[in-house]
Amino acid sequence: MTTPPKHATMVNAFSPDNMASLDPAMQDSVKKRLRLLGPAYRLFYQNPVQVSRGSGVHLYDRDGHEYLDAYNNVVSVGHAHPRVADAICRQAHTLCTHTRYVQDGILRYSDEILGTFGGKLGATGHMMYTCTGSEANDLALRIAQHHTGRRGVIITSEAYHGNSYLTAGLSPSLGARSPLGTWVRRIPAPDSYRPPSSDMGAWFADCVRRQIHDLERHGNGLAAFIADSIFSSDGIYAHPTDLLAPVAEVVREAGGVFIADEVQSGFGRTGDKMWGYQRHGVDPDIVSMGKPMGNGFPVAAIAVRPEIVAKFGGDMRYFNTFGGNSVAIAAAQATLDVIRDEQLVANAQRVGAFLRKGLGELQARYPQMGDIRGAGLYIGVEMVRDPVGRQPDAALASAIVNGLRERRVLISATGFYANILKIRPPLVFSEGDATRLLEELDRVLSSL
C-alpha cells in the first residue's frame, strides 16, 4: 500500500524549506507573507505564483507574464467579468446594507435561484444567506441537528465541507491532525476506478446504513448525511450517477436530513445540469452553495425545505450581518445572469467533453494516466505507477502540476494520495484554452 502524504503540508504546497530556490523578489514577498500572515496560510506550487490582475481565464504577474488558469472555479464566469464588476460597483454606489430591511434585489434573486432546483425544494424552499460555503454548511448542519434532535453526521472518507469549528470537524481532508467530531462517521469514497461492487448504488447505501446503525448504537442517531455530488476531495468521481438517490432513501428512513453540498459542484460546473446533485436524480432537503456564487465576491447560501427549517426558525433567530447584503446579492444576480446569457452550462459540457477526449488521446501514449473522469469542466486524471497495478503515484502528479506551473498553466491535485490531477477552470474556458492545456501537458509528460 502506498504511504499517504503528510496532509499537514497540503497538497501541492510551497515549503518554506525551499526558500533559497526562489529569486530575491519572490523570497522577499514570501518572507513578508510568513511574517504578516503566519504559518497557517499556504502557497501553491514549489515555485509560488505572484498575481497582480486577472481577465477571463488568465492571470498576470507583476512582470506581465500570462498564466492560463485551469483551476479557479470561484471566478466561474471569468476573472474580472465586466458585468459582475459593474453590478458590484453600481450597487456599492447606491446601497449596501443587511437583510433586515425589505429590498427587491434579494427577493428577485431568491425567486430565480430557487427556480433552478426543481422538485419540492424549487417549489416551496426558502433561501438563507451567508458569506462563505463554510458558513452555509455550518448553518445547514445546525438546522438538521435542531430538526432531528440528533447530532450524528455521515460524510465520505476525504470530504471537505468547510473550516468553521463545526464543519472542520467533518472535513477529514484538512489532515490527520485536524480532529473530527465524535459524532461524525465516514464511509468510503465511491472509487469508480477500483469499483468495490458491481452495484455501487446499493453498496454505497449499505455503507451509510451501517454507519447509521453505529450512531444509533452509541446513543446519538443520525442528523444528516452530507456529500459533494462530484466527491471533489475524495478524487472527483462523476460516475455512476445512481449513488445518491438510494442514500437519500436510507437517510430519510432513519429520520435524517439529506444535504447536497454544491459549493464546488454547483452553478453549472458539471455541464449536464445546473446542480451536481441533479445528475443523480435526487431531491435534497438542503442545498448549500458558495464559491462561484458571486464570481469572487463573498456570497453563499442554503436552500432548505420549509418543514426542515420550521422548528429552527420558530425557536431562534437567524441573522448574518453581511450574508445577503445588497452588494453581495448584486454580484450573485449578475453572475447568475451571465451563466444564463452566455450559456455557460452548455459551454462547460461541450468544452469539458473536448478536453476529456484530448486527455484520452494522451492516455494512449502515457499509460501512467490511469483514469480520466469528470463531468463538464470538473476533471480528474489519476496518475498511477502502472495501469495494471493501479498504485497511486503522488510524486508524478506533483511533478506534472509543478511542470505545468513552469509553463504558466495552473492546475492542482487532489485525493487521499494526492495523485489525481484536478482540472477545474472558469466556465468560460474555450476549446482553444483546452488545446493549450493539452499541448503543455503533453510537453510536461514527455519531459518526465
Side-chain angles (χ1 to χ4, degrees):
M1 192 69 167
T2 306
T3 303
K6 294 180 180 178
H7 285 301
T9 60
M10 192 181 81
V11 172
N12 184 36
F14 168 74
S15 171
D17 295 339
N18 298 329
M19 192 76 72
S21 66
L22 305 180
D23 66 60
M26 183 63 80
Q27 280 192 45
D28 184 57
S29 294
V30 173
K31 286 176 181 177
K32 284 181 179 177
R33 177 185 167 97
L34 284 169
R35 179 175 62 81
L36 297 172
L37 303 184
Y41 280 78
R42 309 296 167 86
L43 284 163
F44 278 152
Y45 309 111
Q46 293 170 4
N47 180 12
V49 176
Q50 187 278 331
V51 294
S52 295
R53 67 181 183 92
S55 177
V57 299
H58 298 111
L59 290 167
Y60 300 87
D61 65 20
R62 56 190 157 212
D63 297 318
H65 297 128
E66 178 189 272
Y67 294 79
L68 179 64
D69 186 355
Y71 179 73
N72 276 297
N73 72 323
V74 176
V75 285
S76 62
V77 301
H79 293 279
H81 194 290
R83 285 182 64 180
V84 181
D86 288 348
I88 292 169
C89 184
R90 283 195 307 272
Q91 188 61 49
H93 277 286
T94 305
L95 173 71
C96 183
T97 190
H98 52 71
T99 55
R100 282 183 165 156
Y101 302 108
V102 177
Q103 298 175 72
D104 293 337
I106 195 170
L107 301 180
R108 176 194 168 193
Y109 182 78
S110 298
D111 187 47
E112 289 190 15
I113 197 73
L114 283 168
T116 67
F117 294 116
K120 293 180 180 178
L121 196 60
T124 64
H126 304 309
M127 293 294 295
M128 299 175 72
Y129 292 92
T130 67
C131 298
T132 69
S134 294
E135 288 179 280
N137 281 330
D138 190 292
L139 177 61
L141 290 159
R142 285 175 56 207
I143 290 170
Q145 289 174 337
H146 194 78
H147 171 72
T148 61
R150 299 188 290 268
R151 296 192 68 202
V153 180
I154 297 174
I155 58 172
T156 54
S157 61
E158 279 298 292
Y160 175 73
H161 295 295
N163 59 22
S164 69
Y165 181 79
L166 179 59
T167 58
L170 48 100
S171 295
S173 66
L174 289 175
R177 295 181 181 178
S178 182
L180 296 180
T182 56
W183 35 267
V184 172
R185 298 293 183 272
R186 297 159 75 184
I187 60 172
D191 187 343
S192 55
Y193 186 41
R194 305 168 186 85
S197 170
S198 58
D199 186 346
M200 286 185 67
W203 166 81
F204 204 51
D206 192 53
C207 290
V208 172
R209 191 178 288 109
R210 288 197 296 270
Q211 295 305 322
I212 291 173
H213 174 71
D214 187 65
L215 285 166
E216 291 172 344
R217 186 176 182 183
H218 286 85
N220 196 332
L222 179 69
F225 170 86
I226 181 170
D228 163 4
S229 59
I230 204 165
F231 307 100
S232 305
S233 296
D234 289 291
I236 309 175
Y237 299 109
H239 296 90
T241 55
D242 60 354
L243 297 176
L244 294 180
V247 167
E249 186 176 341
V250 169
V251 167
R252 287 167 179 154
E253 284 175 358
V257 173
F258 183 93
I259 303 172
D261 180 346
E262 293 289 310
V263 173
Q264 294 199 64
S265 56
F267 288 97
R269 170 59 48 186
T270 60
D272 300 329
K273 305 285 184 180
M274 182 68 168
W275 304 102
Y277 74 81
Q278 291 172 331
R279 302 174 63 247
H280 288 259
V282 66
D283 192 5
D285 299 307
I286 304 177
V287 173
S288 60
M289 63 207 85
K291 286 193 190 300
M293 190 170 176
N295 204 50
F297 195 94
V299 56
I302 65 168
V304 56
R305 291 188 184 186
E307 65 271 21
I308 302 297
V309 75
K311 188 172 185 294
F312 180 90
D315 289 347
M316 62 191 76
R317 297 189 303 272
Y318 170 73
F319 178 63
N320 186 314
T321 302
F322 298 110
N325 74 75
S326 319
V327 177
I329 292 297
Q333 183 69 62
T335 302
L336 186 63
D337 291 346
V338 169
I339 291 173
R340 179 195 62 229
D341 296 347
E342 297 187 11
Q343 300 180 344
L344 294 185
V345 180
N347 186 71
Q349 185 177 45
R350 182 179 63 256
V351 178
F354 175 86
L355 184 51
R356 289 192 301 277
K357 179 176 182 292
L359 289 167
E361 292 168 357
L362 288 178
Q363 185 184 34
R365 294 164 46 208
Y366 303 105
Q368 293 87 353
M369 297 171 66
D371 193 32
I372 297 163
R373 52 184 181 257
L377 282 171
Y378 212 144
I379 297 172
V381 182
E382 181 150 355
M383 306 308 299
V384 295
R385 294 181 181 179
D386 72 83
V388 177
R390 301 185 179 185
Q391 301 97 334
D393 195 335
L396 180 57
S398 177
I400 292 167
V401 169
N402 285 286
L404 283 171
R405 177 262 174 267
E406 294 306 311
R407 305 191 72 86
R408 301 198 183 105
V409 174
L410 307 180
I411 66 168
S412 191
T414 191
F416 181 74
Y417 296 102
N419 69 307
I420 300 160
L421 305 183
K422 186 176 185 180
I423 302 170
R424 191 187 57 177
L427 300 182
V428 292
F429 215 64
S430 69
E431 290 187 4
D433 299 321
T435 298
R436 177 180 170 187
L437 170 58
L438 291 166
E439 289 174 349
E440 298 294 8
L441 177 59
D442 188 9
R443 292 185 180 102
V444 170
L445 286 167
S446 66
S447 71
L448 295 173

